[in-house]
């Protein structure tokens, strides 16, 4: 007899299945039919496998005869493979000012290129203070000059726009 699993997962296994009737799928994937859960459990025990409820919301619930530990192992393996292939894109931020000088722009441009080469998106922002609020067009011009300094290695996801006291532009790496 197989051991009883206590599952806090998506699946009910073996004696944890308390439904009166279940639709049973065999170990080979063939539909066996609707029967009592006790009869389905007996068939699973005879095959020395587990009875797993795979679709609890169906009427009647669908159960399958399978090796549960092997199923969980393969599922974990698939999940691990999917996580490995997943890329995480971070958003880095670079702050400029309306009165930024050429040398400082060069430093910020170099840093921005580093972020873009790493595959990250970059949020470029300017925070306006005092009288600068009345000359937001100058901040947009600083942003445009900054973007031109990137030599086509970036694409503007969001053009420079004024949002309250901030001017924001979003950049992403250019596709080569």
């Amino acid at each position: 007899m197989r051991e009883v699993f206590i599952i806090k997962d998506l699946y009910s296994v073996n004696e944890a299945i308390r439904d009166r009737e279940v639709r049973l799928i065999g170990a080979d994937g063939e539909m066996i039919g609707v029967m009592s859960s006790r009869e389905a459990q007996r068939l699973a025990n005879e095959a020395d496998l587990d009875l797993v409820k795979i679709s609890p919301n169906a009427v009647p619930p669908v159960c399958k005869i399978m090796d549960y530990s092997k199923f969980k192992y393969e599922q974990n393996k698939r999940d691990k493979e999917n996580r490995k292939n997943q890329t995480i894109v971070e958003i880095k931020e670079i702050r400029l000012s309306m009165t930024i000088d050429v040398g400082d722009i060069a430093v910020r441009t170099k840093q921005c290129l580093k972020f873009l080469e790493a595959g990250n998106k970059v949020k470029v922002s300017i925070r306006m203070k005092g009288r600068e609020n009345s000359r937001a067009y100058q901040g947009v011009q600083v942003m445009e000059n900054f973007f031109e300094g990137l030599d086509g290695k970036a694409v503007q996801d969001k053009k420079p726009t004024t949002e309250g006291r901030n001017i924001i532009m979003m950049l992403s790496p250019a596709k080569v």
Side-chain angles (χ1 to χ4, degrees), residues 136-151:
Y137 63 90
Q138 288 179 342
V140 172
Q141 187 60 44
V142 169
M143 291 269 198
E144 292 295 337
N145 293 341
F146 178 78
F147 180 68
E148 289 171 13
L150 295 174
D151 298 325

Side-chain angles (χ1 to χ4, degrees), residues 34-169:
V34 177
M35 61 182 62
S36 72
S37 61
R38 285 190 178 146
E39 179 66 20
Q41 183 62 52
R42 188 186 61 74
L43 290 173
N45 289 341
E46 285 176 4
D48 198 30
L49 294 171
D50 300 307
L51 181 66
V52 182
K53 189 190 303 185
I54 56 174
S55 181
N57 297 332
V59 179
V62 179
C63 293
K64 185 172 183 180
I65 296 174
M66 68 172 77
D67 185 354
Y68 186 70
S69 56
K70 181 178 177 185
F71 171 73
K72 286 298 289 179
Y73 171 76
E74 288 172 353
Q75 188 177 28
N76 287 338
K77 197 171 165 184
R78 276 193 308 271
D79 291 346
K80 196 174 189 180
E81 188 68 30
N82 289 340
R83 282 194 302 272
K84 187 166 60 170
N85 294 334
Q86 195 174 27
T87 57
I88 299 170
V89 177
E90 291 184 40
I91 297 178
K92 303 288 188 173
E93 184 171 3
I94 292 181
R95 285 209 158 164
L96 304 175
S97 68
M98 301 253 292
T99 58
I100 194 164
D101 200 20
V102 178
D104 292 333
I105 284 263
V107 170
R108 299 294 195 304
T109 302
K110 196 173 177 183
Q111 187 66 46
C112 183
L113 288 173
K114 231 190 266 184
F115 291 151
L116 292 168
E117 286 169 8
N120 297 316
K121 290 188 173 199
V122 179
K123 175 182 173 182
V124 184
S125 63
I126 294 178
R127 179 158 204 147
M128 298 180 288
K129 302 175 209 132
R131 291 183 184 175
E132 293 174 349
N133 284 316
S134 63
R135 294 189 172 83
Y137 63 90
Q138 288 179 342
V140 172
Q141 187 60 44
V142 169
M143 291 269 198
E144 292 295 337
N145 293 341
F146 178 78
F147 180 68
E148 289 171 13
L150 295 174
D151 298 325
K153 294 181 179 162
V155 176
Q156 280 184 343
D157 289 344
K158 182 179 174 188
K159 298 213 178 287
T161 54
T162 305
E163 297 175 2
R165 301 178 73 193
N166 299 315
I167 302 172
I168 296 172
M169 172 174 65

